[in-house]
Amino acid sequence: MSTSPASPVSSTTAASLSGARVVVIGGSSGIGRAVARQAAAAGAQVVVGSRSQDKLEQTAKEIDGITTGVVDVTDEDSVRAFFAGIDSLDHLVVCPGDMAVGSVYDVSLDDVRAALDTKIIGQLVSVRHAGRKISGEGSIVLIAGGAGFKPYADMSATAAANAGIAGMGRSLAVELAPLRVNVVVGGMIDTPLWSFLPDDARAGLFEQTAQGTPVGRIGQPDDVAVTVLHLLQNTFMTGAVLHVDGGGTL
């Protein structure tokens, strides 16, 4: 006797972003801005949060139809106030930016705390104040950096923060289910995050990294953003840690 396979509950695993409410924290530059731009182009209603009013104003000029608000993820009162002005949302993307660079003997504790505040505490409090407002079909994407998954000298504190984001995201995927939570790990990406380096040093770092990467180049913000949008739309993805690094961690 043959049996027919069980019918799926739904044959649709991709949710349209048209009309979806997407909040991008850290969306005024780099990867966050690319996410905001791509989401808006896909028809989403995008809210961009950032510490810099000047950068927000510039972003609003570059991306039609978005709304903006100042938020400092290292200050829970600021995060609480930001989300108090948002009744509901479908997707949250959090893109922290601070790094702590330097030998374990020399790196300042202020820099270490800033990296942990933005990458760990900032992401956690963003989820805390947004989570209950996210629709049942919605999702959260946290952004981490490759330094947590491939060892680099002078990046120990940043590595700890990036690896922590991955662990936090996987735990949140279980805790907040059926709300989906995923993590995207960017490799060497050409963003203003590296602007602390002199131009020649930055160019040399990018060239050296590109030569050691299977795809032969460093990444651009849009390379990461397209993966973020995939995770927002794929309703069968949760608890994933996706590396967008051109094979850099191989």
Side-chain angles (χ1 to χ4, degrees):
M1 181 177 69
S2 63
T3 59
S4 300
S7 298
V9 173
S10 172
S11 60
T12 301
T13 60
S16 172
L17 288 181
S18 180
R21 299 151 297 180
V22 178
V23 175
V24 185
I25 304 297
S28 65
S29 67
I31 293 170
R33 182 181 287 186
V35 171
R37 183 175 60 251
Q38 289 190 19
Q45 302 172 25
V46 180
V47 179
V48 172
S50 169
R51 286 180 290 192
S52 171
Q53 180 63 45
D54 290 343
K55 288 183 179 179
L56 286 172
E57 291 175 359
Q58 183 60 38
T59 301
K61 292 177 182 177
E62 294 181 6
I63 306 174
D64 290 338
I66 67 169
T67 57
T68 64
V70 174
V71 59
D72 179 355
V73 298
T74 68
D75 178 352
E76 186 170 12
D77 287 339
S78 175
V79 176
R80 182 184 293 108
F82 176 82
F83 283 106
I86 298 173
D87 292 333
S88 61
L89 62 150
D90 296 299
H91 303 285
L92 171 68
V93 181
V94 192
C95 307
D98 289 330
M99 295 192 301
V101 180
S103 162
V104 66
Y105 299 115
D106 301 320
V107 64
S108 76
L109 289 183
D110 285 343
D111 287 349
V112 171
R113 291 186 179 105
L116 295 174
D117 277 351
T118 54
K119 287 179 174 287
I120 299 295
I121 296 174
Q123 299 220 23
L124 186 148
V125 297
S126 295
V127 172
R128 171 182 288 175
H129 292 285
R132 290 189 175 94
K133 298 186 175 189
I134 299 176
S135 67
E137 297 287 318
S139 72
I140 297 169
V141 175
L142 309 179
I143 307 296
F149 304 88
K150 181 175 182 177
Y152 296 94
D154 299 335
M155 295 282 282
S156 57
T158 300
N162 286 326
I165 293 170
M168 178 168 61
R170 286 172 58 81
S171 292
L172 287 171
V174 175
E175 177 181 342
L176 302 181
L179 181 64
R180 297 182 298 106
V181 184
N182 293 290
V183 177
V184 173
V185 181
M188 181 69 75
I189 309 296
D190 185 3
T191 73
L193 183 65
W194 300 100
S195 61
F196 69 93
L197 292 172
D199 290 347
D200 56 345
R202 184 168 64 252
L205 173 64
F206 286 175
E207 177 61 26
Q208 180 182 17
T209 302
Q211 290 176 1
T213 301
V215 299
R217 67 176 178 88
I218 66 166
Q220 297 298 319
D222 281 324
D223 293 322
V224 181
V226 72
T227 299
V228 173
L229 261 67
H230 169 72
L231 290 174
L232 300 186
Q233 296 175 88
N234 189 330
T235 60
F236 202 58
M237 291 287 291
T238 193
V241 179
L242 298 185
H243 293 258
V244 184
D245 60 5
T249 53
L250 296 177

